[in-house]
């Protein structure tokens, strides 16, 4: 700030210095003017000018220091009151721009909320013909055609469900209900949802749940497991997916282990990034890069940690680490 202040005032400082030098020069060449007293006056003027600069520095930079410390938010309470006409111009401009931004932000929020409500309403409306379509598919006699129709129906159903939960993620804290839930019931329900897909791909399940009860939110935990299961099924063929739960040091863990193609080690740090698919299979159209991202986002408010271990060609292990019971004190305060 000192450098900026001096740079801003450099022309005034140079003018003062030039006047002092000019006065001394006149006294030096004019014998009628005593040089000593003029030099003494210049010295005192220089000291007074230094004091004046210090005073003006603290007075003039207070407003700009507050702008420098301001977090560029829409709250102007941290900005100091202007004390000069130019500071008033700056303050007025910032206030007007902030008011415009607040109005625009409020309008955008209203539009976003409206769009979200419209999308959620549309998703719920689409579910009705989807249900009817499922009943119609059940009447198809050609088993091969029926299997293909079921698979495509399931893809649409999962994509709609993904969109529904994605829109609700922004207010997930208001939607949580922590209770003792049956993990076995959730796992089997989600397996039943993707059963037709698994049959077509020849995928089975090896389930060993030593721990069947956990504290969590049933709806969002189901969504997380659904995303992990669909991801495991998508990249597996004619193999078993192992699902096991166990306790270690008073903490519950749930493993979902597939024997699929695995994940490249350089991709592992990025698999939870929104939109990231793969670097080794970059042209693949089946992956949207959104499932794991949503699972991670939904797990955070539930204090569930998701870890992934994988080897190319050998499969992937996804581990859900549930919080210990005393860690839910924070959640219950929501």
């Amino acid at each position: 700030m000192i450098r900026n202040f001096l740079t801003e005032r450099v022309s005034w400082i140079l003018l003062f210095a030039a006047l002092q030098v000019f006065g001394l020069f006149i006294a030096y060449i004019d014998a009628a003017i005593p040089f000593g007293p003029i030099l003494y006056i210049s010295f005192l003027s220089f000291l007074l000018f230094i004091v004046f600069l210090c005073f003006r520095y603290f007075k003039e930079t207070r407003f700009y220091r507050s702008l420098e410390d301001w977090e560029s938010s829409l709250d102007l309470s941290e900005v100091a009151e202007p004390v000069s006409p130019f500071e008033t111009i700056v303050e007025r401009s910032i206030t007007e721009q902030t008011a415009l931004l607040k109005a625009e932000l409020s309008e955008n929020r209203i539009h976003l909320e409206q769009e979200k409500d419209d999308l959620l309403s549309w998703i719920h409306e689409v579910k009705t013909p989807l249900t009817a379509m499922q009943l119609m598919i059940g009447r198809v006699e050609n088993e091969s055609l029926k299997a293909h129709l079921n698979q495509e129906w399931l893809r649409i159903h999962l994509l709609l469900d993904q969109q529904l939960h994605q829109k609700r993620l922004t207010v997930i804290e208001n939607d949580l209900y922590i209770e003792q839930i049956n993990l076995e019931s959730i796992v089997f329900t989600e397996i039943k949802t993707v059963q037709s897909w698994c049959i077509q791909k020849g995928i089975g399940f090896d389930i060993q749940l030593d721990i069947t009860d956990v504290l969590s939110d049933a709806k969002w935990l189901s969504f997380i497991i659904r995303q992990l299961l669909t991801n495991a099924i998508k990249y597996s063929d004619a193999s078993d997916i192992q699902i096991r739960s166990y306790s270690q040091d008073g903490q519950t863990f749930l493993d979902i282990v597939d024997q699929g193609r695995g994940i490249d080690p350089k991709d592992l740090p990025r698999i939870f990034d929104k939109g990231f698919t793969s670097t080794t299979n970059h042209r693949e159209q089946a992956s949207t890069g959104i499932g794991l991202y949503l699972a991670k986002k939904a797990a955070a408010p539930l204090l569930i940690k998701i870890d992934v271990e994988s080897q190319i060609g050998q499969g992937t292990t996804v581990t859900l680490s549930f919080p210990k019971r005393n860690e839910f004190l924070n959640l219950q305060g929501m």
Side-chain angles (χ1 to χ4, degrees):
M1 185 63 73
I2 294 178
R3 177 180 296 178
N4 292 334
F5 176 78
L6 294 176
T7 302
E8 181 70 21
R9 300 291 182 269
V10 66
S11 59
W12 294 91
I13 295 172
L14 291 176
L15 176 62
F16 174 80
L19 290 174
Q20 298 303 311
V21 171
F22 180 72
L24 291 173
F25 176 73
I26 295 297
Y28 177 75
I29 64 175
D30 191 345
I33 301 175
F35 183 77
I38 297 299
L39 180 61
Y40 182 64
I41 291 173
S42 296
F43 175 72
L44 291 179
S45 299
F46 177 76
L47 292 180
L48 288 175
F49 184 68
I50 294 297
V51 173
F52 173 77
L53 275 181
C54 293
F55 171 75
R56 295 306 302 176
Y57 169 76
F58 289 106
K59 185 176 179 61
E60 295 183 18
T61 59
R62 184 177 65 90
F63 177 76
Y64 296 103
R65 281 200 303 269
S66 67
L67 286 181
E68 197 174 52
D69 296 335
W70 184 41
E71 296 180 353
S72 299
S73 63
L74 298 181
D75 182 14
L76 296 177
S77 60
E78 298 178 359
V79 178
E81 290 292 328
V83 295
S84 70
F86 286 114
E87 291 179 3
T88 302
I89 293 174
V90 173
E91 192 265 347
R92 187 189 304 122
S93 177
I94 292 176
T95 302
E96 291 174 355
Q97 291 298 319
T98 301
L100 290 174
L101 287 175
K102 283 182 178 180
E104 186 176 349
L105 178 62
S106 177
E107 186 178 349
N108 288 339
R109 282 177 175 172
I110 293 174
H111 286 317
L112 285 174
E113 286 298 321
Q114 184 63 47
E115 288 180 4
K116 186 179 76 171
D117 292 340
D118 291 344
L119 180 58
L120 292 178
S121 176
W122 179 82
I123 291 174
H124 284 296
E125 289 178 5
V126 169
K127 284 187 174 182
T128 301
L130 268 182
T131 303
M133 189 184 301
Q134 189 179 30
L135 296 175
M136 295 169 64
I137 292 174
R139 300 193 189 103
V140 175
E141 295 182 358
N142 188 317
E143 292 300 325
S144 176
L145 177 61
K146 185 176 181 179
H148 285 294
L149 289 174
N150 270 322
Q151 182 180 358
E152 296 305 318
W153 178 91
L154 181 61
R155 286 181 60 190
I156 297 173
H157 171 73
L158 292 175
L159 287 172
L160 286 174
D161 178 76
Q162 200 175 70
Q163 281 295 314
L164 182 65
H165 284 82
Q166 184 177 3
K167 293 302 178 183
R168 288 176 174 170
L169 265 175
T170 56
V171 290
I172 185 175
E173 288 80 3
N174 302 328
D175 194 38
L176 292 181
Y177 182 67
I178 306 302
E179 59 180 339
Q180 193 83 17
I181 58 177
N182 187 272
L183 187 59
E184 184 178 24
S185 174
I186 290 177
V187 169
F188 277 97
T189 298
E190 295 307 320
I191 290 176
K192 186 177 180 180
T193 301
V194 296
Q195 183 178 9
S196 60
W197 191 11
C198 295
I199 292 174
Q200 185 178 15
K201 298 193 70 174
I203 294 174
F205 288 91
D206 179 11
I207 302 173
Q208 182 180 350
L209 301 176
D210 296 335
I211 305 297
T212 56
D213 294 323
V214 294
L215 272 175
S216 192
D217 180 281
K219 180 173 66 176
W220 285 102
L221 179 59
S222 297
F223 174 73
I224 294 170
I225 294 177
R226 191 179 314 139
Q227 300 309 306
L228 300 180
L229 282 179
T230 54
N231 217 55
I233 296 168
K234 186 185 299 182
Y235 302 114
S236 299
D237 288 293
S239 60
D240 283 351
I241 295 176
Q242 301 176 18
I243 303 177
R244 54 177 183 259
S245 65
Y246 53 92
S247 178
Q248 185 175 330
D249 297 328
Q251 189 172 11
T252 300
F253 297 89
L254 177 69
D255 288 348
I256 299 177
V257 184
D258 67 66
Q259 310 299 320
R261 71 188 189 194
I263 304 171
D264 195 298
K266 67 176 180 291
D267 289 344
L268 276 176
R270 302 173 59 192
I271 59 174
F272 293 108
D273 293 346
K274 187 176 182 179
F276 178 76
T277 53
S278 172
T279 57
T280 54
N281 297 275
H282 197 61
R283 295 186 178 182
E284 184 177 40
Q285 301 297 320
S287 180
T288 61
I290 198 72
L292 290 179
Y293 165 77
L294 294 178
K296 188 81 169 182
K297 291 277 287 185
L302 294 173
L303 305 182
I304 295 175
K305 184 180 179 183
I306 304 180
D307 296 301
V308 178
E309 295 180 0
S310 183
Q311 292 185 358
I312 291 290
Q314 297 187 24
T316 303
T317 299
V318 181
T319 301
L320 297 182
S321 306
F322 292 89
K324 295 182 180 179
R325 185 176 295 269
N326 58 354
E327 293 177 352
F328 273 103
L329 293 177
N330 295 330
L331 275 182
Q332 292 174 348
M334 290 182 178

